[in-house]
Amino acid sequence: MLKEIGAGLALGILAGLFALGFNVYPFLLLIGLFFLLTRVADIKGNKQFVPVSNSKANTRISFEDIGGQNTAKRELLEALDFLKVPEKMSSLGIRPLKGILLVGPPGTGKTLLAKAAAYYTDSLFLSAAGSEFIEMYAGVGAQRIRQLFNQARNSGKKSNKKSAIIFIDEIDILGAKRGSGSSSHLEHEQTLNQLLVEMDGLSFNDEIKILLIGATNRADLLDNALLRPGRFDRIVQVELPDQEGRLQILQLHTRNKPLADDVCLENIARETFGFSGAHLESLANEAAIIALREKKKFLENRHFSEAIDKVIMGEKIDRRPDKEEFWRIAVHETGHAVVSECIRSCSVSTITIIPRGKAMGYIRQTPSKDSYISTREDIEEQIAILLGGAISEEEILGSRSTGSSGDFQQAVELAKKIISAGMSSLGIVSVADLPSGVLYDSLKEILNAQEQRVRSIIRKYRSMIENVARYLLEKEKISGAYLRNILKEHEQRSRNEVC
Ligand code: ATP
């Protein structure tokens, strides 16, 4: 403000002098230079750095507001005793814990856990992102680190807190391995060194006890100095939620939403393997938006089903293929679905030919359980389902199309997985060291076997696939239950014919 008044005054005086016939150009040049220098000083002096969010609303998140993540919560709670009951820790001679590193995929609740830690320990909560410490001026990042820790101490005192939690998200940006080829490595090293210095300076006797919580998706990028004991003492894995965790997260995010009687959160949790907490939050939100669009008072099961499709595949798109292409897509998707049901009964949840994102159609499968490892049979089943689309097109329409190239790429990757896991006829081998001819033959053997398996399924159900595809063309989306009924009828008819 003062600067603006000064600038106004100076311009006024200069205008007066100009009117009296003085040469004001040298003065103008000097004033311009002065403002340029103060601007640079402002940036370097870091006056614009506001990395801290300390709103009370932000920190009022408790561990009960976080679904699943029981292991992460348990480990974190144990580590937080140092802030909660410091006397107990010091009486046993336990040194203070200086840092906790939360490691896990995006959207799994790392920020929520840090906020809940602050609420649980009644600590001041300050947060910043690693990218906020990266500047091209040497020394600015280090200064920001100092500011952050000083602010924790000062604001902690002002708000009568005994402790403060500093949360640095994307800490891999600021704490990446030194000498890893960054262009401004001097600045990076100074920033990281300052962080190490601040962490080393933390002590039990500090008036405000500070705990640093870092979050990253890439712990492998972090400098070893950060990971050594005495700095980030605890590394807590924050994984994608399991079925039970997904159910809890869905319950949390639907507690303020009116649900119709047909909504079964257990089923939704089962269908959403691989979803993070952020995906599930978005799913509940999207379901509510769809219900609102339809002017419904309650969120129904189909709203959730559509929201799952949207979260997985993206928004519906306007691009409409012509009639012939639509028929091909229907045949392709029905082929996938029938092979899936024949190989893994009750595995299809929905079949649709409504274009979304990059897909012109797709089938959504319901896993019977969360699984984290696969046998050769599991992978072969996946390959067969992937080939179902192309072979259905070939058998029914007489040719394949480019719509199958993504399926083939995935099928080849899966076949490579069989080889690299030592489950192929080659035994234990390194895929990278295999002569290309040997790798080709082995891939061909795996893929050909599945192609034959799929072809015989498609030939057996050919007329049924055509019927279902026709129905799909009319409705654009059909449920797995509908497909299973048709399959059952088909089986019944075949049995009667044999009798
Ligand atoms: P990133 O690595 O991308 O920074 P993150 O792991 O820090 O992500 P959060 O920011 O904590 O993820 O979560 C994003 C949103 O997802 C939260 O605001 C919340 O709505 C939802 N969410 C994530 N995990 C959970 C969970 N376990 N329980 C409830 N909600 C969750």
Side-chain angles (χ1 to χ4, degrees), residues 61 65-69 73 104-113 115 167 169-170 215-217 238 241 245 248-250 252-253 276-282:
I61 284 176
D65 297 320
I66 303 175
Q69 303 300 356
K73 280 190 214 167
T108 41
K110 297 183 289 297
T111 310
L112 287 185
L113 284 165
K115 286 180 180 174
F167 174 64
D169 204 0
E170 313 156 6
T216 179
N217 311 323
V238 188
Q248 286 174 21
I249 297 172
L250 282 167
L252 284 169
H253 289 291
S276 67
H279 281 126
L280 295 166
E281 187 274 336
S282 165

Side-chain angles (χ1 to χ4, degrees), residues 59 84 91 133 149 197 206 244 270 307 329 335 357 361 428 459 470 480 485 487:
T59 57
K84 194 102 170 143
S91 70
F133 299 92
F149 279 78
V197 167
D206 291 343
E244 186 54 37
R270 198 155 60 84
I329 297 164
I428 303 169
R459 284 186 179 160
R470 243 180 254 123
N485 270 341
L487 261 173

Side-chain angles (χ1 to χ4, degrees), residues 43 122 128 192 218 255 347 389 394-395 425 459:
I43 297 172
D122 190 27
L192 177 56
R218 296 289 312 269
R255 62 187 165 184
S347 59
E394 198 177 302
E395 288 291 321
S425 55
R459 284 186 179 160

Side-chain angles (χ1 to χ4, degrees), residues 80 82 252 273 277-278 285 304 394 397 475:
L80 292 174
F82 136 73
L252 284 169
F273 176 72
N285 202 43
F304 281 94
E394 198 177 302
L397 305 172
K475 300 284 173 198

